[in-house]
Amino acid sequence: MENIDLIKKAAEVRKNSYSPYSGYAVGAALECEENMIHAGCNVENASYGGTICAERNAITNMAADGMRKIKKIAIVGGFADGSGDNSALVPPCGVCRQVIREFCNPETCIVLLAPIDNLEKITEMKFADLLPLSFGPDNLEK
Ligand code: THU
């Protein structure tokens, strides 16, 4: 899928964000090796700690559909009410980076970020640049 279309999918699913506590809505859409698209939004919890980020929800959706490899992942976000800096990017949090790592090849997996006020302004990087020297499934191979 074209980068802009994956970003638009992320922006679309972001509309379903359940974020009553932070007011910060995030959407993620990923393309897996089978060329299917899996999406997720952040789902918050009154306990705060029970919150699940958009990226991890997209990944668990992929896994539940039986797929295991992320080729490309797009993330967009910002305050749902339009306040704050809408030109800011949403780089995945540390936990999400580690979860993405589980299901990607760091050298080939592409991460796409775009500001919510300008989806066409896409920043593209390979995953290995976001999480260098990562610990992954390979490390547990004997
Ligand atoms: N959030 C994500 O969904 N993904 C990230 O990578 C960063 C943070 C969500 C979690 C929480 O619901 C809100 O953004 C504010 O932290």
Side-chain angles (χ1 to χ4, degrees):
M1 175 176 268
E2 294 296 323
N3 290 351
I4 183 63
D5 294 321
L6 200 61
I7 286 280
K8 283 182 180 166
K9 288 264 181 202
E12 188 60 33
V13 69
R14 174 178 175 265
K15 293 178 188 160
N16 295 328
S17 164
Y18 175 71
S19 39
Y21 305 108
S22 72
Y24 195 81
V26 183
L30 69 86
E31 183 173 38
C32 67
E33 220 164 55
E34 290 80 2
N35 300 318
M36 288 176 67
I37 307 302
H38 308 273
C41 58
N42 56 330
V43 177
E44 296 189 344
N45 189 273
S47 72
Y48 285 41
T51 293
I52 310 174
C53 291
E55 298 91 318
R56 276 179 282 151
N57 278 325
I59 291 167
T60 52
N61 284 337
M62 174 189 78
D65 283 339
M67 289 146 218
R68 297 288 186 260
K69 243 342 174 246
I70 304 166
K71 279 201 315 193
K72 193 153 66 167
I73 182 165
I75 304 147
V76 298
F79 286 100
D81 66 5
S83 63
D85 180 5
N86 292 312
S87 65
L89 302 178
V90 183
C93 77
V95 175
C96 287
R97 289 179 201 209
Q98 187 64 39
V99 175
I100 295 168
R101 170 66 184 91
E102 186 70 22
F103 295 106
C104 81
N105 176 339
E107 290 302 325
T108 56
C109 179
I110 298 296
V111 179
L112 305 172
L113 307 174
I116 201 66
D117 70 354
N118 186 359
L119 297 180
E120 312 263 340
K121 196 175 158 199
I122 298 172
T123 298
E124 175 175 346
M125 72 213 73
K126 67 174 177 178
F127 180 79
D129 291 332
L130 264 186
L131 190 65
L133 203 67
S134 62
F135 186 85
D138 312 353
N139 296 96
L140 294 182
E141 276 173 17
K142 288 186 182 169

